[in-house]
Amino acid sequence: MMRLALSIIVATLSLSIGIYAADKTYEPTWASINSRPLPTWYDQSKFGIFIHWGVYSVPHYGSALPEWYWYNYNNPSEDGGATQRFHNTSFGPNFQYQKFAENFNAYIFDPDQWADLFKKAGAKYVVLTSKHHEGFCLWQSPQSWGWNSVDVGPNKDLVAMVTNSVRKAGLKMGLYHSLYEWYNPIYDADKATGQPPTQSKYVDEIMLPQLYDIIQKYEPSVIWADGDWEQYSAYWKSTEFLAWLYTNSTVKDEIVTNDRWGAECPMKDGGYFTPYDRYNPGKSIGHKWENCYTIGQNWGYNENEPFSGFQSATDIIYQLVSTVSCGGNLLLDVGPTPDGLIPWIMQERLLQIGAWMDVNNAAIYDTIPWRAQNDTAEEQIWYTTNPNTLDVYCISFVWPTNGILSLTQPLASSSTQVFLLGCTPSTACNTLSYTVNKAGSGFSIKLPSLPPTGYPNYAYVFVLKNVK
Ligand SMILES: *[C@@H]1O[C@H](CO)[C@@H](O)[C@H](O)[C@H]1NC(C)=O
Ligand SMILES: *[C@@H]1O[C@H](CO)[C@@H](O)[C@H](O)[C@H]1NC(C)=O
Ligand SMILES: *[C@@H]1O[C@H](CO)[C@@H](O)[C@H](O)[C@H]1NC(C)=O
């Protein structure tokens, strides 16, 4: 009786918690902000597309970090003077960076085509640079008069156009936003008061109004903060913004953010973890994280990127798989040209990933990390599992020539079954035979012998049913 009564109370309690959760009030403290559960859509999505597009796309040059062109020009020690030499030779030393905005023209920009490509790639969300460190806004920000894509350059609200097309394609839309700007005089004035600064004028007059503006105008599903590292979150007033975002904004139930909200925040505060670029810890870390990653070596368009800098489809699928196995999402970047072309090699990579996802996405979407993330010391075999079906997905980047794939982690039961996704004829891949290794140490799958055209591409996904 007691037990029953108690469980009724517990059920009632959790019901009311469930109701109040939607209207929860968050305080401007990290403890309160960090207590917010991550909206479920984000973890289920696994794969997003990052877009770095701005005035830096016009000179599109960089020995490293082309989106840092302006900064590298002014700080030649950053890249051995490469950007300065290129600029002096190509445009002349008197050519001001701001003049590049005139050639940011978006002539062939077709956001529906972009969104269609991202959808074909299998991505579920998109994150666009609304403003990078140069301060140029891709929407008509009143705080950035004359330095935005409506006032100069394309004369278009690029944030609105990408947002509309991405949503029409059924994907979620997110916005990257740089907290700092390299050359904002108000920010410089704040910094001149000391470290930490004794005033946050730039935050009150520029940064926060811009953040409120993009949330209210575009209602994004992601705010991807960056450029935070020079100051602590107290200067940026990050907890005040996030308390409003999570409590009062129209996107309070949907929005996710990362952890770049102040020098002390990464791996600690805000939302999911993105402590540094291309973060991929190789193991499950018990907190949601994201691997922001590039197809080549750059974020913004870089025309002098060597061909060898571009990674193969297998390399990128490896990042996706190892990331998802360890509880992360992959945010894969493209850098469009100033006229709006997504470079063809990037299009090809996205379509290759999409072809793999068409066949194998059950191993990716809606999965969670399994008890072992990888199988071999070479990390060529990764696992995920679906929490509803309890199927385990074994994703192998190797196909041993002896025809035997030996797994040390999953334990077979009498009802274990093994399938291979995406091979033809499919009859060859239904219910593969296996032999149990010595007790308690996994089993070995007998690989099907297929005609050369019959093998799946890039990575092989084995569905393991009823394993422990
Ligand atoms: C570029 O031109 C400026 C102005 O003439 C000069 O100060 C600078 O040294 C030049 N940089 C390089 C790398 O040649
Ligand atoms: C946010 O909502 C809370 C709870 O409804 C309210 O008390 C508070 O005044 C609101 N804050 C702002 C900044 O709108
Ligand atoms: C997974 O890879 C790591 C890093 O190489 C290795 O230390 C670990 O032993 C692997 N896990 C298993 C289960 O083999």
Side-chain angles (χ1 to χ4, degrees), residues 282 372-379 381-383 408-409:
Q373 279 89 67
N374 58 310
D375 197 281
T376 63
E378 298 87 44
E379 297 188 43
I381 297 174
W382 296 88
Y383 295 102
T408 64
Q409 294 301 309

Side-chain angles (χ1 to χ4, degrees), residues 73 76 80-89 92-94:
Y73 179 84
T83 299
Q84 223 180 60
R85 268 191 304 280
F86 171 80
H87 188 87
N88 285 0
T89 312
N94 296 324

Side-chain angles (χ1 to χ4, degrees), residues 23-26 212 240 243-244 247-249:
D23 289 322
K24 189 164 157 39
T25 300
Y26 291 93
Y212 289 122
E240 287 161 46
W244 172 83
T247 306
N248 304 70
S249 74

Side-chain angles (χ1 to χ4, degrees), residues 2-114:
M2 195 58 198
R3 212 170 262 272
L4 185 66
L6 257 180
S7 61
I8 289 169
I9 292 168
V10 170
T12 317
L13 257 178
S14 52
L15 186 66
S16 44
I17 288 165
I19 290 165
Y20 288 122
D23 289 322
K24 189 164 157 39
T25 300
Y26 291 93
E27 307 297 327
T29 63
W30 283 124
S32 176
I33 302 291
N34 295 343
S35 73
R36 177 177 180 259
L38 185 76
T40 50
W41 74 264
Y42 177 77
D43 179 46
Q44 290 165 348
S45 299
K46 306 299 184 192
F47 180 33
I49 301 291
F50 215 175
I51 309 171
H52 275 69
W53 204 28
V55 171
Y56 46 82
S57 311
V58 176
H60 51 65
Y61 172 87
S63 50
L65 301 177
E67 63 286 349
W68 283 62
Y69 186 97
W70 197 6
Y71 187 89
N72 290 343
Y73 179 84
N74 288 325
N75 300 276
S77 63
E78 291 290 318
D79 67 350
T83 299
Q84 223 180 60
R85 268 191 304 280
F86 171 80
H87 188 87
N88 285 0
T89 312
S90 310
F91 309 104
N94 296 324
F95 190 97
Q96 295 292 308
Y97 182 81
Q98 289 90 328
K99 289 271 288 176
F100 284 128
E102 292 167 18
N103 290 320
F104 183 33
N105 58 49
Y107 283 155
I108 58 155
F109 169 53
D110 180 344
D112 283 346
Q113 225 173 54
W114 284 19

Side-chain angles (χ1 to χ4, degrees), residues 73-298:
Y73 179 84
N74 288 325
N75 300 276
S77 63
E78 291 290 318
D79 67 350
T83 299
Q84 223 180 60
R85 268 191 304 280
F86 171 80
H87 188 87
N88 285 0
T89 312
S90 310
F91 309 104
N94 296 324
F95 190 97
Q96 295 292 308
Y97 182 81
Q98 289 90 328
K99 289 271 288 176
F100 284 128
E102 292 167 18
N103 290 320
F104 183 33
N105 58 49
Y107 283 155
I108 58 155
F109 169 53
D110 180 344
D112 283 346
Q113 225 173 54
W114 284 19
D116 182 54
L117 175 68
F118 303 152
K119 189 189 170 91
K120 284 198 176 110
K124 295 281 196 187
Y125 63 104
V126 173
V127 178
L128 170 70
T129 46
S130 66
K131 179 183 87 169
H132 204 263
H133 313 323
E134 63 186 4
F136 187 85
C137 296
L138 300 197
W139 87 103
Q140 193 168 29
S141 166
Q143 289 77 32
S144 190
W145 184 85
W147 190 231
N148 68 70
S149 67
V150 179
D151 293 349
V152 287
N155 302 123
K156 288 179 172 129
D157 184 337
L158 301 175
V159 170
M161 292 172 76
V162 176
T163 298
N164 293 340
S165 295
V166 162
R167 292 224 173 100
K168 222 165 44 182
L171 278 56
K172 306 254 187 203
M173 183 64 197
L175 296 174
Y176 164 107
H177 197 80
S178 175
L179 303 190
Y180 88 150
E181 293 176 18
W182 292 317
Y183 303 118
N184 192 301
I186 309 176
Y187 180 52
D188 289 344
D190 284 354
K191 282 202 286 188
T193 64
Q195 182 57 28
T198 59
Q199 61 182 40
S200 291
K201 242 177 127 190
Y202 165 79
V203 175
D204 294 332
E205 293 177 10
I206 309 290
M207 188 201 99
L208 285 176
Q210 285 185 331
L211 280 173
Y212 289 122
D213 192 27
I214 54 174
I215 297 292
Q216 281 158 349
K217 275 206 185 95
Y218 308 107
E219 301 191 308
S221 304
V222 183
I223 281 289
W224 212 101
D226 194 24
D228 59 316
W229 49 78
E230 282 188 359
Q231 313 298 340
Y232 296 111
S233 63
Y235 171 79
W236 301 119
K237 303 190 176 179
S238 304
T239 55
E240 287 161 46
F241 170 71
L242 291 170
W244 172 83
L245 185 68
Y246 291 173
T247 306
N248 304 70
S249 74
T250 56
V251 293
K252 66 188 168 66
D253 298 325
E254 163 92 359
I255 193 94
V256 296
T257 67
N258 61 347
D259 59 352
R260 299 192 186 182
W261 291 102
E264 83 283 18
C265 294
M267 292 297 282
K268 206 155 71 63
D269 299 318
Y272 60 78
F273 292 165
T274 53
Y276 48 82
D277 299 347
R278 303 184 183 85
Y279 176 66
N280 187 353
K283 57 178 200 247
S284 183
I285 59 166
H287 190 280
K288 190 65 199 180
W289 57 278
E290 184 178 67
N291 175 1
C292 59
Y293 199 75
T294 49
I295 294 176
Q297 307 299 314
N298 294 279

